[in-house]
Each structure stands twice: as C-alpha cells, then as structure tokens.
Coordinates of all heavy atoms in Angstrom, one line a residue:
M183 N 24.3 -91.2 67.3 CA 25.6 -91.0 66.5 C 26.7 -91.3 67.5 O 26.7 -90.8 68.6 CB 25.6 -89.6 66.1 CG 24.5 -89.3 65.1 SD 24.3 -87.5 64.5 CE 25.8 -87.3 63.6
P184 N 27.7 -92.1 67.1 CA 28.7 -92.5 67.9 C 29.6 -91.4 68.5 O 29.9 -91.4 69.7 CB 29.5 -93.4 67.0 CG 28.7 -93.8 65.9 CD 27.7 -92.7 65.7
K185 N 29.9 -90.4 67.7 CA 30.7 -89.3 68.2 C 30.0 -88.5 69.3 O 30.6 -88.1 70.3 CB 31.1 -88.3 67.0 CG 32.1 -87.2 67.4 CD 33.4 -87.7 67.9 CE 34.3 -86.6 68.2 NZ 35.5 -87.0 68.9
T186 N 28.7 -88.3 69.1 CA 27.9 -87.6 70.1 C 27.8 -88.3 71.4 O 27.9 -87.9 72.5 CB 26.5 -87.3 69.6 OG1 26.6 -86.5 68.4 CG2 25.6 -86.6 70.6
R187 N 27.7 -89.7 71.3 CA 27.7 -90.6 72.4 C 29.0 -90.4 73.2 O 29.0 -90.3 74.4 CB 27.4 -92.0 72.0 CG 27.1 -92.9 73.2 CD 26.7 -94.4 72.7 NE 25.6 -94.3 71.7 CZ 25.8 -94.9 70.5 NH1 26.9 -95.3 70.1 NH2 24.8 -94.8 69.6
E188 N 30.1 -90.4 72.5 CA 31.4 -90.3 73.2 C 31.5 -89.0 73.9 O 32.0 -88.9 75.0 CB 32.5 -90.4 72.2 CG 32.7 -91.8 71.6 CD 33.8 -91.8 70.5 OE1 34.7 -90.9 70.5 OE2 33.7 -92.6 69.6
I189 N 31.0 -87.9 73.2 CA 31.1 -86.6 73.9 C 30.3 -86.5 75.2 O 30.7 -86.0 76.2 CB 30.7 -85.5 72.9 CG1 31.7 -85.4 71.8 CG2 30.4 -84.1 73.6 CD1 31.3 -84.5 70.6
L190 N 29.1 -87.1 75.1 CA 28.2 -87.1 76.2 C 28.8 -88.0 77.4 O 28.7 -87.6 78.6 CB 26.8 -87.6 75.9 CG 25.9 -86.6 75.2 CD1 24.6 -87.3 74.7 CD2 25.6 -85.4 76.0
E191 N 29.4 -89.1 77.0 CA 30.0 -89.9 78.1 C 31.1 -89.2 78.7 O 31.3 -89.3 79.9 CB 30.5 -91.2 77.4 CG 29.3 -92.2 77.1 CD 29.8 -93.4 76.3 OE1 31.0 -93.5 76.0 OE2 28.9 -94.3 76.0
Q192 N 31.9 -88.5 77.9 CA 33.1 -87.7 78.5 C 32.5 -86.6 79.4 O 33.0 -86.3 80.5 CB 33.9 -87.1 77.4 CG 35.1 -86.4 77.9 CD 35.9 -85.8 76.7 OE1 35.7 -86.0 75.6 NE2 37.0 -85.0 77.1
M193 N 31.5 -85.9 79.0 CA 30.9 -84.9 79.7 C 30.3 -85.4 81.1 O 30.5 -84.8 82.1 CB 29.7 -84.2 79.0 CG 29.1 -83.0 79.6 SD 28.0 -82.3 78.4 CE 27.2 -81.1 79.5
G194 N 29.6 -86.6 81.0 CA 29.1 -87.2 82.2 C 30.2 -87.5 83.2 O 30.1 -87.3 84.4
E195 N 31.4 -88.1 82.7 CA 32.5 -88.4 83.5 C 33.0 -87.1 84.1 O 33.4 -87.0 85.3 CB 33.5 -89.1 82.7 CG 34.8 -89.5 83.5 CD 34.5 -90.6 84.6 OE1 33.5 -91.3 84.5 OE2 35.3 -90.6 85.6
Q196 N 33.1 -86.0 83.4 CA 33.6 -84.8 83.9 C 32.7 -84.2 85.0 O 33.2 -83.6 86.0 CB 33.8 -83.7 82.8 CG 35.0 -84.1 81.9 CD 35.1 -83.3 80.6 OE1 34.1 -82.6 80.2 NE2 36.2 -83.4 80.0
I197 N 31.4 -84.3 84.8 CA 30.5 -83.8 85.8 C 30.6 -84.7 87.1 O 30.7 -84.1 88.2 CB 29.0 -83.9 85.2 CG1 28.8 -82.8 84.2 CG2 27.9 -83.9 86.3 CD1 27.5 -83.0 83.5
K198 N 30.8 -86.0 87.0 CA 30.9 -86.8 88.1 C 32.2 -86.5 88.8 O 32.2 -86.3 90.1 CB 31.0 -88.3 87.7 CG 31.0 -89.3 88.9 CD 31.0 -90.7 88.4 CE 31.0 -91.7 89.6 NZ 30.9 -93.0 89.2
L199 N 33.3 -86.3 88.1 CA 34.6 -85.9 88.8 C 34.5 -84.5 89.5 O 35.0 -84.4 90.5 CB 35.7 -85.9 87.7 CG 36.1 -87.3 87.2 CD1 37.1 -87.1 86.1 CD2 36.7 -88.1 88.3
A200 N 33.8 -83.6 88.9 CA 33.6 -82.3 89.4 C 32.9 -82.4 90.8 O 33.2 -81.8 91.8 CB 32.8 -81.3 88.5
R201 N 31.9 -83.3 90.8 CA 31.1 -83.5 92.1 C 31.9 -84.1 93.1 O 31.9 -83.7 94.2 CB 29.8 -84.4 91.7 CG 29.0 -84.7 92.9 CD 27.9 -85.6 92.6 NE 28.1 -86.9 92.1 CZ 28.5 -87.9 92.8 NH1 28.7 -87.8 94.1 NH2 28.8 -89.1 92.3
L202 N 32.7 -85.2 92.7 CA 33.6 -85.9 93.7 C 34.7 -85.0 94.2 O 35.0 -85.0 95.4 CB 34.1 -87.1 93.1 CG 33.1 -88.2 92.7 CD1 33.7 -89.3 91.9 CD2 32.4 -88.7 93.9
R203 N 35.3 -84.1 93.3 CA 36.3 -83.2 93.8 C 35.8 -82.2 94.8 O 36.5 -81.8 95.7 CB 36.9 -82.5 92.6 CG 37.8 -83.3 91.8 CD 38.6 -82.4 90.8 NE 37.7 -81.8 89.8 CZ 37.5 -82.3 88.6 NH1 38.1 -83.4 88.2 NH2 36.7 -81.8 87.7
R204 N 34.5 -81.9 94.7 CA 33.9 -81.0 95.6 C 33.4 -81.7 96.8 O 32.8 -81.0 97.8 CB 32.8 -80.2 94.9 CG 33.2 -79.2 93.9 CD 32.1 -78.7 93.0 NE 32.6 -77.6 92.1 CZ 33.4 -77.8 91.1 NH1 33.9 -79.0 90.8 NH2 33.8 -76.8 90.3
K205 N 33.5 -83.0 96.9 CA 33.1 -83.8 98.0 C 31.6 -83.6 98.3 O 31.1 -83.5 99.4 CB 33.9 -83.6 99.2 CG 35.3 -84.0 99.0 CD 36.1 -83.8 100.3 CE 37.5 -84.1 99.9 NZ 38.6 -84.2 100.5
L206 N 30.8 -83.6 97.2 CA 29.3 -83.4 97.3 C 28.7 -84.7 97.0 O 29.0 -85.4 96.0 CB 28.8 -82.3 96.3 CG 29.4 -80.9 96.6 CD1 29.1 -80.0 95.5 CD2 28.9 -80.4 98.0
S207 N 27.7 -85.1 97.7 CA 27.0 -86.3 97.5 C 26.1 -86.2 96.2 O 25.6 -85.1 95.9 CB 26.1 -86.7 98.6 OG 24.9 -85.8 98.8
A208 N 25.8 -87.3 95.6 CA 24.9 -87.4 94.4 C 23.5 -86.9 94.8 O 22.8 -86.1 94.1 CB 24.9 -88.7 93.9
Q209 N 23.1 -87.2 96.0 CA 21.7 -86.8 96.5 C 21.6 -85.4 96.6 O 20.6 -84.8 96.2 CB 21.4 -87.6 97.8 CG 20.0 -87.3 98.3 CD 18.9 -87.8 97.3 OE1 19.1 -88.9 96.8 NE2 17.9 -87.1 97.2
L210 N 22.7 -84.7 97.2 CA 22.7 -83.3 97.4 C 22.6 -82.6 96.0 O 21.8 -81.6 95.9 CB 23.9 -82.8 98.1 CG 24.1 -81.3 98.3 CD1 22.9 -80.8 99.2 CD2 25.4 -80.9 98.9
I211 N 23.5 -83.0 95.1 CA 23.4 -82.4 93.7 C 22.1 -82.5 93.0 O 21.6 -81.6 92.4 CB 24.6 -82.9 92.9 CG1 25.9 -82.4 93.5 CG2 24.5 -82.4 91.4 CD1 26.1 -80.9 93.6
A212 N 21.5 -83.7 93.2 CA 20.3 -84.0 92.5 C 19.2 -83.0 93.1 O 18.4 -82.5 92.4 CB 19.8 -85.5 92.7
E213 N 19.2 -82.9 94.5 CA 18.2 -82.0 95.1 C 18.4 -80.5 94.7 O 17.5 -79.8 94.3 CB 18.4 -82.1 96.6 CG 17.9 -83.3 97.2 CD 18.1 -83.5 98.7 OE1 18.6 -82.5 99.3 OE2 17.8 -84.6 99.2
R214 N 19.7 -80.1 94.6 CA 20.0 -78.7 94.2 C 19.6 -78.5 92.8 O 19.1 -77.4 92.4 CB 21.5 -78.4 94.3 CG 22.0 -78.2 95.7 CD 23.5 -77.9 95.7 NE 24.0 -77.6 96.9 CZ 25.3 -77.3 97.2 NH1 26.2 -77.3 96.2 NH2 25.7 -77.2 98.4
A215 N 19.7 -79.5 91.9 CA 19.4 -79.4 90.5 C 17.9 -79.6 90.3 O 17.4 -79.3 89.1 CB 20.2 -80.4 89.7
G216 N 17.1 -80.1 91.2 CA 15.7 -80.3 91.1 C 15.5 -81.6 90.2 O 14.4 -81.6 89.5
I217 N 16.3 -82.5 90.3 CA 16.1 -83.8 89.5 C 16.2 -85.0 90.4 O 16.6 -84.8 91.6 CB 17.2 -83.9 88.4 CG1 18.6 -84.0 88.9 CG2 17.0 -82.8 87.3 CD1 19.7 -84.2 87.9
S218 N 15.8 -86.1 89.9 CA 15.9 -87.3 90.8 C 17.4 -87.8 90.8 O 18.3 -87.5 89.9 CB 15.0 -88.4 90.2 OG 15.6 -88.9 89.0
R219 N 17.7 -88.7 91.7 CA 19.0 -89.2 91.8 C 19.3 -90.2 90.6 O 20.4 -90.2 90.1 CB 19.0 -90.1 93.2 CG 20.3 -91.0 93.4 CD 21.6 -90.1 93.6 NE 22.7 -90.9 93.6 CZ 23.4 -91.3 92.6 NH1 23.0 -91.0 91.4 NH2 24.5 -92.0 92.7
Q220 N 18.2 -90.8 90.1 CA 18.4 -91.6 88.9 C 18.8 -90.8 87.8 O 19.6 -91.3 86.9 CB 17.2 -92.4 88.6 CG 16.8 -93.5 89.7 CD 16.1 -92.9 90.9 OE1 15.7 -91.7 91.0 NE2 16.0 -93.7 92.0
T221 N 18.2 -89.6 87.6 CA 18.5 -88.8 86.5 C 19.9 -88.3 86.5 O 20.7 -88.3 85.6 CB 17.6 -87.6 86.4 OG1 16.2 -88.0 86.2 CG2 17.9 -86.6 85.3
L222 N 20.4 -88.0 87.7 CA 21.8 -87.6 88.0 C 22.7 -88.7 87.5 O 23.7 -88.6 86.9 CB 22.1 -87.2 89.4 CG 23.6 -86.8 89.6 CD1 24.0 -85.6 88.7 CD2 23.8 -86.4 91.1
N223 N 22.3 -89.9 87.9 CA 23.1 -91.1 87.6 C 23.2 -91.3 86.0 O 24.3 -91.6 85.5 CB 22.5 -92.4 88.2 CG 23.4 -93.6 88.0 OD1 24.6 -93.5 88.2 ND2 22.7 -94.7 87.7
A224 N 22.1 -91.0 85.3 CA 22.1 -91.1 83.9 C 23.0 -90.1 83.3 O 23.7 -90.3 82.3 CB 20.6 -91.0 83.4
I225 N 23.0 -88.9 83.9 CA 23.8 -87.8 83.4 C 25.3 -88.1 83.6 O 26.1 -87.9 82.7 CB 23.5 -86.4 84.1 CG1 22.1 -85.9 83.7 CG2 24.6 -85.4 84.0 CD1 21.6 -84.8 84.5
E226 N 25.6 -88.6 84.7 CA 27.0 -89.0 85.0 C 27.4 -90.1 84.1 O 28.7 -90.3 83.9 CB 27.2 -89.3 86.4 CG 27.1 -88.0 87.3 CD 27.4 -88.3 88.8 OE1 27.5 -89.5 89.2 OE2 27.5 -87.3 89.5
K227 N 26.6 -90.9 83.5 CA 26.9 -91.9 82.5 C 26.8 -91.4 81.1 O 27.2 -92.1 80.2 CB 26.0 -93.1 82.7 CG 26.2 -93.9 84.0 CD 25.2 -95.0 84.1 CE 25.5 -95.8 85.3 NZ 24.6 -97.0 85.5
G228 N 26.5 -90.1 80.9 CA 26.4 -89.5 79.6 C 25.2 -90.0 78.8 O 25.3 -90.1 77.5
S229 N 24.1 -90.2 79.4 CA 22.9 -90.6 78.7 C 22.4 -89.5 77.8 O 22.3 -88.4 78.1 CB 21.8 -91.0 79.7 OG 20.6 -91.2 79.0
S230 N 22.0 -90.0 76.5 CA 21.5 -89.0 75.5 C 20.0 -88.8 75.7 O 19.4 -88.0 75.0 CB 21.8 -89.5 74.1 OG 21.2 -90.8 73.9
T231 N 19.4 -89.6 76.6 CA 17.9 -89.5 76.8 C 17.6 -88.4 77.8 O 16.4 -88.1 78.0 CB 17.3 -90.8 77.1 OG1 17.9 -91.2 78.4 CG2 17.6 -91.9 76.1
V232 N 18.5 -87.9 78.5 CA 18.3 -86.9 79.5 C 18.3 -85.5 78.8 O 19.1 -85.2 78.0 CB 19.4 -86.8 80.6 CG1 19.2 -85.8 81.6 CG2 19.5 -88.2 81.3
A233 N 17.3 -84.7 79.2 CA 17.2 -83.3 78.6 C 18.3 -82.5 78.9 O 18.9 -82.5 80.0 CB 15.9 -82.7 79.1
I234 N 18.7 -81.6 78.0 CA 19.9 -80.8 78.1 C 19.7 -79.8 79.3 O 20.6 -79.4 80.0 CB 20.3 -80.0 76.8 CG1 21.6 -79.4 77.0 CG2 19.3 -79.0 76.5 CD1 22.3 -79.1 75.6
G235 N 18.5 -79.5 79.6 CA 18.1 -78.6 80.8 C 18.6 -79.2 82.1 O 19.0 -78.6 83.0
S236 N 18.4 -80.6 82.2 CA 18.9 -81.3 83.4 C 20.4 -81.2 83.5 O 21.0 -81.0 84.6 CB 18.4 -82.7 83.3 OG 17.0 -82.8 83.3
Y237 N 21.1 -81.4 82.3 CA 22.5 -81.3 82.3 C 22.9 -79.9 82.8 O 23.8 -79.7 83.7 CB 23.2 -81.5 80.9 CG 23.4 -83.0 80.6 CD1 22.4 -83.7 80.0 CD2 24.6 -83.6 80.8 CE1 22.6 -85.1 79.7 CE2 24.9 -84.9 80.5 CZ 23.9 -85.6 79.9 OH 24.1 -86.9 79.5
A238 N 22.3 -78.9 82.4 CA 22.6 -77.5 82.7 C 22.3 -77.2 84.2 O 23.0 -76.6 84.9 CB 21.7 -76.5 81.9
A239 N 21.2 -77.8 84.7 CA 20.8 -77.7 86.1 C 21.9 -78.3 87.0 O 22.2 -77.8 88.1 CB 19.5 -78.3 86.4
V240 N 22.4 -79.4 86.7 CA 23.5 -80.1 87.4 C 24.8 -79.3 87.4 O 25.4 -79.1 88.4 CB 23.8 -81.5 86.8 CG1 25.1 -82.1 87.5 CG2 22.6 -82.4 87.2
L241 N 25.1 -78.7 86.2 CA 26.3 -77.9 86.1 C 26.1 -76.7 87.0 O 27.1 -76.2 87.6 CB 26.6 -77.5 84.7 CG 27.1 -78.7 83.8 CD1 27.1 -78.3 82.3 CD2 28.4 -79.1 84.2
H242 N 24.9 -76.1 87.0 CA 24.7 -75.0 87.9 C 24.8 -75.3 89.4 O 25.3 -74.6 90.2 CB 23.2 -74.4 87.6 CG 23.0 -73.1 88.4 ND1 23.5 -71.9 88.0 CD2 22.3 -72.9 89.5 CE1 23.2 -71.0 88.9 NE2 22.4 -71.5 89.8
A243 N 24.3 -76.5 89.7 CA 24.3 -77.0 91.1 C 25.8 -77.2 91.5 O 26.1 -77.2 92.7 CB 23.6 -78.3 91.2
L244 N 26.7 -77.4 90.6 CA 28.1 -77.6 90.9 C 28.9 -76.3 90.9 O 30.0 -76.1 90.4 CB 28.8 -78.6 89.9 CG 28.4 -80.0 90.0 CD1 28.8 -80.8 88.8 CD2 28.9 -80.6 91.3
N245 N 28.2 -75.2 91.5 CA 28.8 -73.9 91.6 C 28.9 -73.1 90.3 O 30.0 -72.7 89.9 CB 30.1 -74.0 92.3 CG 29.9 -74.5 93.7 OD1 28.9 -74.1 94.4 ND2 30.9 -75.2 94.3
N246 N 27.9 -73.1 89.5 CA 27.8 -72.2 88.4 C 28.6 -72.6 87.2 O 29.2 -71.8 86.5 CB 28.0 -70.7 88.7 CG 26.9 -70.2 89.7 OD1 25.8 -70.5 89.6 ND2 27.5 -69.5 90.7
L247 N 28.8 -73.9 87.0 CA 29.6 -74.4 85.9 C 28.8 -74.3 84.6 O 29.4 -74.5 83.5 CB 30.0 -75.9 86.0 CG 31.1 -76.0 87.2 CD1 31.5 -77.5 87.3 CD2 32.4 -75.3 86.9
D248 N 27.6 -73.9 84.7 CA 26.7 -73.8 83.5 C 27.0 -72.7 82.6 O 26.6 -72.7 81.4 CB 25.2 -73.8 83.8 CG 24.8 -72.6 84.8 OD1 25.7 -72.3 85.6 OD2 23.7 -72.3 84.8
T249 N 27.8 -71.8 83.0 CA 28.2 -70.6 82.1 C 28.9 -71.1 80.9 O 29.0 -70.4 79.9 CB 29.0 -69.6 82.9 OG1 30.2 -70.2 83.4 CG2 28.2 -68.9 84.0
D250 N 29.6 -72.3 80.9 CA 30.3 -72.7 79.8 C 29.3 -73.1 78.6 O 29.7 -73.2 77.5 CB 31.1 -74.0 80.1 CG 32.3 -73.7 81.0 OD1 32.7 -72.6 81.0 OD2 32.8 -74.7 81.6
F251 N 28.0 -73.2 78.9 CA 27.1 -73.4 77.9 C 27.0 -72.3 76.9 O 26.6 -72.4 75.7 CB 25.6 -73.7 78.3 CG 25.3 -75.1 78.6 CD1 25.0 -75.5 79.9 CD2 25.3 -76.0 77.6 CE1 24.7 -76.8 80.2 CE2 25.0 -77.4 77.9 CZ 24.7 -77.7 79.2
L252 N 27.5 -71.1 77.3 CA 27.5 -69.9 76.4 C 28.5 -70.1 75.4 O 28.5 -69.4 74.4 CB 27.8 -68.7 77.3 CG 26.7 -68.3 78.2 CD1 27.2 -67.1 79.1 CD2 25.4 -67.9 77.5
L253 N 29.5 -71.0 75.5 CA 30.5 -71.3 74.5 C 30.0 -72.1 73.3 O 30.7 -72.2 72.3 CB 31.7 -71.9 75.2 CG 32.4 -71.1 76.3 CD1 33.5 -71.9 76.9 CD2 32.8 -69.8 75.8
V254 N 28.9 -72.8 73.5 CA 28.4 -73.7 72.5 C 28.0 -72.8 71.3 O 27.3 -71.9 71.3 CB 27.1 -74.4 73.0 CG1 26.5 -75.2 71.9 CG2 27.5 -75.3 74.2
A255 N 28.6 -73.2 70.2 CA 28.5 -72.5 68.8 C 28.7 -71.0 68.9 O 28.2 -70.3 68.1 CB 27.0 -72.8 68.3
K256 N 29.6 -70.6 69.8 CA 29.8 -69.2 70.0 C 30.5 -68.6 68.7 O 30.2 -67.6 68.1 CB 30.7 -68.9 71.2 CG 31.1 -67.4 71.4 CD 32.0 -67.2 72.5 CE 32.4 -65.8 72.7 NZ 33.3 -65.6 73.7
D257 N 31.6 -69.3 68.3 CA 32.3 -68.9 67.1 C 32.1 -69.9 66.0 O 32.8 -70.8 65.7 CB 33.8 -68.8 67.4 CG 34.6 -68.2 66.3 OD1 34.0 -67.4 65.5 OD2 35.8 -68.4 66.2
D258 N 30.9 -69.7 65.3 CA 30.5 -70.6 64.2 C 31.0 -70.1 63.0 O 30.3 -69.6 62.1 CB 29.0 -70.7 64.2 CG 28.4 -71.7 63.2 OD1 29.2 -72.5 62.7 OD2 27.2 -71.7 62.9
E259 N 32.4 -70.3 62.8 CA 33.0 -69.8 61.6 C 32.4 -70.3 60.3 O 32.2 -69.6 59.3 CB 34.5 -70.1 61.6 CG 35.3 -69.4 60.6 CD 36.9 -69.6 60.7 OE1 37.3 -69.6 61.9 OE2 37.5 -69.8 59.7
F260 N 32.2 -71.7 60.2 CA 31.6 -72.3 59.1 C 30.3 -71.8 58.8 O 30.0 -71.5 57.6 CB 31.6 -73.8 59.3 CG 31.1 -74.6 58.1 CD1 31.8 -74.7 56.9 CD2 29.8 -75.2 58.2 CE1 31.3 -75.3 55.8 CE2 29.3 -75.9 57.1 CZ 30.0 -76.0 55.9
G261 N 29.4 -71.7 59.8 CA 28.1 -71.2 59.6 C 28.1 -69.7 59.1 O 27.3 -69.3 58.2
R262 N 29.0 -68.9 59.6 CA 29.1 -67.5 59.1 C 29.5 -67.4 57.7 O 29.0 -66.6 56.9 CB 30.0 -66.8 60.0 CG 29.5 -66.5 61.4 CD 30.4 -65.7 62.2 NE 30.0 -65.8 63.6 CZ 30.3 -65.0 64.5 NH1 31.1 -64.0 64.2 NH2 29.9 -65.1 65.7
K263 N 30.4 -68.3 57.3 CA 30.8 -68.3 55.8 C 29.7 -68.7 54.9 O 29.4 -68.1 53.9 CB 32.0 -69.3 55.6 CG 33.3 -68.8 56.1 CD 34.4 -69.7 55.9 CE 35.7 -69.2 56.5 NZ 36.8 -70.1 56.4
L264 N 28.8 -69.7 55.4 CA 27.7 -70.1 54.6 C 26.7 -68.9 54.5 O 26.1 -68.7 53.5 CB 27.0 -71.3 55.2 CG 27.7 -72.7 55.1 CD1 27.0 -73.7 55.9 CD2 27.9 -73.1 53.7
Q265 N 26.5 -68.3 55.7 CA 25.5 -67.2 55.6 C 26.1 -66.0 54.7 O 25.3 -65.5 54.0 CB 25.5 -66.6 57.1 CG 24.5 -65.5 57.2 CD 24.4 -64.9 58.6 OE1 25.4 -65.0 59.4 NE2 23.3 -64.3 59.0
D266 N 27.3 -65.8 54.8 CA 27.9 -64.7 53.9 C 27.7 -65.0 52.4 O 27.5 -64.2 51.6 CB 29.4 -64.5 54.2 CG 29.6 -63.8 55.5 OD1 28.6 -63.3 56.1 OD2 30.8 -63.8 56.0
L267 N 27.8 -66.3 52.0 CA 27.6 -66.7 50.6 C 26.2 -66.4 50.1 O 26.0 -66.2 49.0 CB 27.9 -68.2 50.5 CG 29.4 -68.6 50.6 CD1 29.5 -70.1 50.5 CD2 30.2 -68.0 49.5
E268 N 25.2 -66.4 51.0 CA 23.8 -66.3 50.6 C 23.4 -64.8 50.8 O 22.2 -64.5 50.5 CB 22.9 -67.2 51.5 CG 23.2 -68.6 51.1 CD 22.2 -69.5 51.8 OE1 21.2 -69.0 52.5 OE2 22.4 -70.8 51.8
L269 N 24.2 -64.0 51.3 CA 23.8 -62.5 51.4 C 23.6 -61.9 50.0 O 24.4 -62.1 49.1 CB 24.9 -61.8 52.2 CG 25.0 -62.1 53.6 CD1 26.1 -61.3 54.3 CD2 23.7 -61.8 54.4
P270 N 22.5 -61.3 49.8 CA 22.2 -60.7 48.5 C 23.2 -59.5 48.3 O 23.5 -58.8 49.2 CB 20.8 -60.2 48.6 CG 20.6 -60.0 50.1 CD 21.4 -61.0 50.8
T271 N 23.7 -59.4 47.0 CA 24.5 -58.2 46.7 C 23.5 -57.2 46.2 O 22.6 -57.4 45.3 CB 25.5 -58.6 45.6 OG1 24.8 -59.1 44.5 CG2 26.5 -59.6 46.2
R272 N 23.7 -56.0 46.7 CA 22.8 -54.9 46.3 C 23.2 -54.3 45.0 O 24.4 -54.1 44.7 CB 22.8 -53.8 47.4 CG 22.3 -54.3 48.7 CD 22.1 -53.1 49.6 NE 21.6 -53.5 50.9 CZ 21.3 -52.7 51.8 NH1 21.6 -51.4 51.8 NH2 20.7 -53.2 53.0
K273 N 22.2 -54.1 44.2 CA 22.5 -53.4 42.9 C 22.0 -52.0 43.1 O 21.0 -51.7 43.7 CB 21.7 -54.1 41.9 CG 22.2 -55.5 41.6 CD 21.5 -56.1 40.5 CE 22.0 -57.6 40.3 NZ 21.4 -58.2 39.2
R274 N 22.8 -51.1 42.6 CA 22.5 -49.7 42.6 C 21.4 -49.3 41.7 O 21.3 -49.9 40.5 CB 23.7 -48.9 42.4 CG 24.7 -49.0 43.4 CD 25.8 -48.0 43.2 NE 26.7 -48.0 44.3 CZ 27.6 -47.1 44.5 NH1 27.9 -46.2 43.6 NH2 28.4 -47.1 45.5
A275 N 20.6 -48.5 42.1 CA 19.6 -47.9 41.2 C 20.3 -47.1 40.1 O 21.3 -46.5 40.4 CB 18.6 -47.1 41.9
P276 N 19.7 -47.1 39.0 CA 20.4 -46.2 37.9 C 20.4 -44.7 38.3 O 19.5 -44.3 38.9 CB 19.6 -46.5 36.7 CG 18.4 -47.2 37.1 CD 18.6 -47.7 38.5
K277 N 21.4 -44.1 37.9 CA 21.6 -42.6 38.2 C 20.6 -41.9 37.3 O 20.2 -42.3 36.2 CB 23.0 -42.2 37.9 CG 24.0 -42.7 38.9 CD 25.3 -42.0 38.7 CE 26.2 -42.6 39.8 NZ 27.5 -42.0 39.7
K278 N 20.1 -40.8 37.8 CA 19.1 -40.0 37.1 C 19.6 -39.7 35.7 O 20.9 -39.3 35.5 CB 18.8 -38.7 37.8 CG 18.0 -38.9 39.1 CD 17.6 -37.6 39.8 CE 16.9 -37.8 41.0 NZ 16.5 -36.7 41.7
G279 N 18.8 -39.8 34.8 CA 19.2 -39.4 33.4 C 19.9 -40.5 32.6 O 20.2 -40.4 31.5
K280 N 20.2 -41.7 33.2 CA 20.9 -42.7 32.6 C 20.1 -44.0 32.5 O 20.5 -45.1 32.9 CB 22.3 -43.0 33.3 CG 23.3 -41.9 33.2 CD 24.6 -42.4 33.8 CE 25.7 -41.4 33.6 NZ 26.9 -41.8 34.0
L281 N 18.8 -43.9 32.2 CA 18.0 -45.0 32.0 C 18.2 -45.8 30.9 O 18.3 -45.9 29.9 CB 16.5 -44.6 32.2 CG 16.1 -44.1 33.6 CD1 14.7 -43.5 33.5 CD2 16.2 -45.1 34.7

C-alpha cells in the first residue's frame, strides 16, 4: 500500500537520523539490536519486509526509543465507536406480578 510504504520510508529515515545524531555506527546498532547490518540497512530504507520486532529492537538500541510503540492505536476513537454500536442493550426482566 503506497501510504504505508511512505510511512515506513519516513520512519526509516528518522531511525537513521537518530543514529547519526547520536554518532553511533550502523554496526554497533545492529549488534545491540541483535540483527545483521543488512537488516539495519533495510530498516533505514523503510523496508516493509523487515519484521516489526526488528524495528522495535533498533529503536530500543537507540536508547529506548521503542516506548513510542505504546502509542500505536492507543486512542482508537473510531474503533471504540464501532464497538459501542454493537454493544447489546440490556432488557429488564419483567417485574413480579406483571407478566
């Protein structure tokens, strides 16, 4: 999907810039993340074939930037509205003597 590809490319660029700002080598980050240098290169290019766990490992290797993953779908307003529409409405049992 084109929009997803754009987001991953932007994320990859931001990861690369974060690494460069910290003056950390690609080899060091790859080692800290437990991935190959080639996988890090793919992440920095925004590859959609790399597992999200590898993205998270790289963000963690860049001094705990992986906590931002907690923001993903945190406030799913649309999903909550859909859920609310499907909630059953409770009907009261008839009162005694009014059958």
Side-chain angles (χ1 to χ4, degrees):
M183 297 174 67
K185 184 65 176 166
T186 302
R187 191 175 308 119
E188 288 176 27
I189 290 169
L190 285 173
E191 287 173 1
Q192 182 178 356
M193 186 174 169
E195 181 66 22
Q196 290 170 342
I197 287 171
K198 183 176 183 176
L199 290 173
R201 178 178 64 78
L202 293 173
R203 282 192 294 267
R204 287 164 175 74
K205 297 182 181 181
L206 299 171
S207 72
Q209 186 63 37
L210 177 64
I211 293 301
E213 287 173 10
R214 284 184 181 178
I217 60 173
S218 69
R219 174 66 186 86
Q220 292 80 9
T221 300
L222 178 60
N223 188 42
I225 288 171
E226 290 183 349
K227 289 181 178 179
S229 174
S230 62
T231 61
V232 177
I234 194 158
S236 295
Y237 276 89
V240 169
L241 289 170
H242 184 76
L244 289 167
N245 297 325
N246 300 319
L247 293 179
D248 55 332
T249 56
D250 289 342
F251 270 118
L252 295 175
L253 301 176
V254 174
K256 179 181 177 186
D257 188 23
D258 184 12
E259 189 175 321
F260 180 71
R262 289 180 194 203
K263 286 180 181 179
L264 289 174
Q265 182 182 27
D266 290 345
L267 289 173
E268 292 185 12
L269 291 177
T271 55
R272 293 188 178 182
K273 294 184 179 181
R274 291 185 172 193
K277 292 185 179 183
K278 288 185 181 180
K280 292 188 176 185
L281 292 174

